[in-house]
């Protein structure tokens, strides 16, 4: 069972700029003194917990984060500019570990929590800095300090935003495998999935966590099949995706028996936004498809999606519908949070 999103990131801070060796050379000024400026400091690497991020999916694509080097000092005692810092924006709740994955560096539990992970190298002093009564024309300067580098491990506990439910063999795990990097077991016999499996999904600009739950059957609330204990994972979800195997003959019955189980379980599952999808469209003859879709629509009382987890047909539309529900819920939670803050003494 994987309830953690993790990412390994290589980070490096900027090197300091070199100090400069220069002398004042101007008309009418003999023996102009040393005039080389200091190098700028290299950029630091920071991590900060920000709002509106829910997964570490970005760090699957961006595995290197580097701060900029400081610039070298220049003549006329001009100091080099400092290098820009680099910032890892991470979701609230992210823990940062050393490369061993065990030594905790930081736990960013609240929006705005920040930690400096690496310090940029100091800039070197220019020769102007070394001028003294005994050495009025130093011909040397400091090099900048090198930056630092290391590998860190980010970890985030995942909480499912959507629950995937349906009868055994409806194609739930196949769907999860298509839309995320999760690798659940898939097989043509019922109850292949024995424990909830999580995957991180990205569609357009929304990231969310999808939980593939073991198949439910009629009587699950009385312990038949695998029972319904894992429905607890759906309690905190913002939406439910109900998959129906379109190759089955009794589509409406399949739908209703699952709804019956949700009702028996209670805990508000019946009231959650529900996206219904007729799955395995690739294996249904065209004529039958329209009929089955109509039957399902009648059973659930709202529109249904048609898709295939195997070919990918219709999958993005389903993900967009889920993303829309999740966005609504996140907006609501945000308003609730800010209102609570306004009222805080
Ligand atoms: N033709 C077709 N077959 C599919 C599709 N999705 C799943 N299957 C097949 O249906 C069978 C069951 O798929 P799973 O993804 O394991 O189903 P599940 O809902 O996770 O099943 P449980 O874990 O047992 O509840 C497998 O043999 C899949 O290859 C689809 O879109 N089209
Ligand atoms: Mg499964």
């Amino acid at each position: 069972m994987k309830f953690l999103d993790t990412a390994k990131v290589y980070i490096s801070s900027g090197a300091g700029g070199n100090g400069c060796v220069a002398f004042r050379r101007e008309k009418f000024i003999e023996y102009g003194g040393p005039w080389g400026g200091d190098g700028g400091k290299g950029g630091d690497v920071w991590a900060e917990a920000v709002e509106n991020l829910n997964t570490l999916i970005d760090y699957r694509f961006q595995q290197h984060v580097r701060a900029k080097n400081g610039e070298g000092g220049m003549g006329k005692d001009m100091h080099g500019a400092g290098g820009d810092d680099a910032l890892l924006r991470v979701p609230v709740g992210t823990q940062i570990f050393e490369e061993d994955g065990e030594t905790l560096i930081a736990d960013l539990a609240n929006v705005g929590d920040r930690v400096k992970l690496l310090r940029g190298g100091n800039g070197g002093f220019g020769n102007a800095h070394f001028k003294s009564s005994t050495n009025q024309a130093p011909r040397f300067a400091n090099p900048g300090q090198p930056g630092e580098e290391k590998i860190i491990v980010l970890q985030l506990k995942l909480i499912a935003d959507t629950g995937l439910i349906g009868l055994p063999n409806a194609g739930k795990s196949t769907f999860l495998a298509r839309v995320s990097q999760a690798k659940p077991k898939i097989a043509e016999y019922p109850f292949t999935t024995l424990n909830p499996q999580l995957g991180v999904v990205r569609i357009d600009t929304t990231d969310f966590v999808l939980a593939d739950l073991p198949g439910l059957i009629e009587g699950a609330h009385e312990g038949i099949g695998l029972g319904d204990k894992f429905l607890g994972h759906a309690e905190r979800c913002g939406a439910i995706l109900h998959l129906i195997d379109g190759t089955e003959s009794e589509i409406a019955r399949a739908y209703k028996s699952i709804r019956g189980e949700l009702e028996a379980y209670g805990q508000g599952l019946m009231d959650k936004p529900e996206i219904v999808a007729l799955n395995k469209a690739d294996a249904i003859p065209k004529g039958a498809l329209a009929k089955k879709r109509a039957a399902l629509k009648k059973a659930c009382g709202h529109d249904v999606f048609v898709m295939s987890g195997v070919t990918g047909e219709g999958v993005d539309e389903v993900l967009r519908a889920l993303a829309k529900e999740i966005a609504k819920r996140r907006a609501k939670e945000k308003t609730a949070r800010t209102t609570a803050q306004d009222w805080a003494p």
Side-chain angles (χ1 to χ4, degrees):
M1 247 189 294
K2 193 180 154 213
F3 288 102
L4 276 179
D5 199 9
T6 66
K8 247 186 192 185
V9 187
Y10 165 90
I11 55 175
S12 62
S13 60
N18 294 330
C20 165
V21 175
F23 292 92
R24 197 164 174 187
R25 290 275 175 271
E26 279 174 36
K27 235 177 173 180
F28 311 119
I29 303 180
E30 271 179 282
Y31 305 115
W35 222 14
D38 300 342
K41 188 181 148 304
D44 304 326
V45 181
W46 293 82
E48 181 176 339
V50 299
E51 236 169 351
N52 300 331
L53 273 186
N54 306 287
T55 69
L56 297 171
I57 197 167
D58 285 330
Y59 294 101
R60 288 213 197 115
F61 306 108
Q62 193 203 358
Q63 288 159 347
H64 293 88
V65 176
R66 302 172 208 271
K68 292 270 192 310
N69 293 337
E71 285 178 17
M74 284 157 290
K76 299 190 179 173
D77 204 9
M78 285 196 294
H79 291 196
D84 287 341
D85 292 345
L87 177 65
L88 284 84
R89 294 156 46 84
V90 297
V92 174
T94 301
Q95 292 187 314
I96 304 177
F97 294 88
E98 298 286 357
E99 190 178 2
D100 63 12
E102 285 171 10
T103 317
L104 185 69
I105 303 173
D107 190 346
L108 305 181
N110 303 297
V111 173
D113 283 358
R114 246 170 109 84
V115 58
K116 193 192 278 185
L117 298 170
L118 288 180
R119 190 176 184 284
N122 283 329
F125 288 126
N127 68 338
H129 178 87
F130 294 105
K131 181 181 169 186
S132 66
S133 53
T134 51
N135 187 354
Q136 297 198 348
R139 294 186 169 277
F140 57 87
N142 269 162
Q145 272 179 347
E148 302 171 313
E149 56 174 17
K150 70 172 164 186
I151 289 174
I152 53 167
V153 176
L154 306 179
Q155 274 193 3
L156 178 69
K157 280 205 187 70
L158 290 181
I159 296 172
D161 298 295
T162 39
L164 195 43
I165 60 162
L167 291 171
N169 270 340
K172 301 179 292 298
S173 302
T174 305
F175 179 77
L176 179 76
R178 169 161 283 276
V179 301
S180 74
Q181 293 208 326
K183 305 221 169 0
K185 189 168 165 193
I186 294 168
E188 72 278 20
Y189 54 83
F191 301 120
T192 305
T193 304
L194 298 174
N195 289 303
Q197 306 284 319
L198 298 193
V200 173
V201 180
R202 167 168 284 179
I203 179 76
D204 306 326
T205 54
T206 310
D207 301 342
F208 63 89
V209 180
L210 180 67
D212 167 21
L213 302 176
L216 278 173
I217 54 171
E218 209 165 309
H221 67 284
E222 290 165 339
I224 299 185
L226 295 174
D228 64 358
K229 55 186 185 301
F230 44 78
L231 277 181
H233 290 277
E235 282 174 34
R236 288 161 80 182
C237 289
I240 281 173
L241 172 58
H242 186 161
L243 283 194
I244 313 275
D245 181 347
T247 64
E248 289 285 332
S249 46
E250 295 191 72
I251 302 287
R253 172 131 193 248
Y255 175 81
K256 285 183 179 150
S257 57
I258 294 289
R259 292 299 285 178
E261 291 308 314
L262 297 189
E263 191 168 9
Y265 183 85
Q267 310 298 328
L269 292 195
M270 282 294 272
D271 309 323
K272 290 196 184 288
E274 182 200 42
I275 307 294
V276 177
L278 189 63
N279 194 22
K280 307 197 186 179
D282 59 292
I284 314 171
K286 280 277 168 294
L289 188 62
K291 264 194 208 149
K292 289 187 170 181
R293 183 181 197 164
L296 185 54
K297 193 171 168 183
K298 195 166 162 220
C300 70
H302 55 79
D303 225 354
V304 304
F305 290 83
V306 172
M307 57 159 259
S308 162
V310 165
T311 65
E313 168 197 349
V315 163
D316 282 357
E317 286 74 11
V318 169
L319 293 181
R320 284 197 184 102
L322 290 171
K324 207 167 140 190
E325 293 303 334
I326 290 161
K328 269 194 228 163
R329 157 135 146 175
R330 285 180 185 161
K332 233 190 251 169
E333 284 173 351
K334 195 171 169 186
T335 324
R337 266 206 310 278
T338 42
T339 323
Q341 273 165 12
D342 289 348
W343 284 96

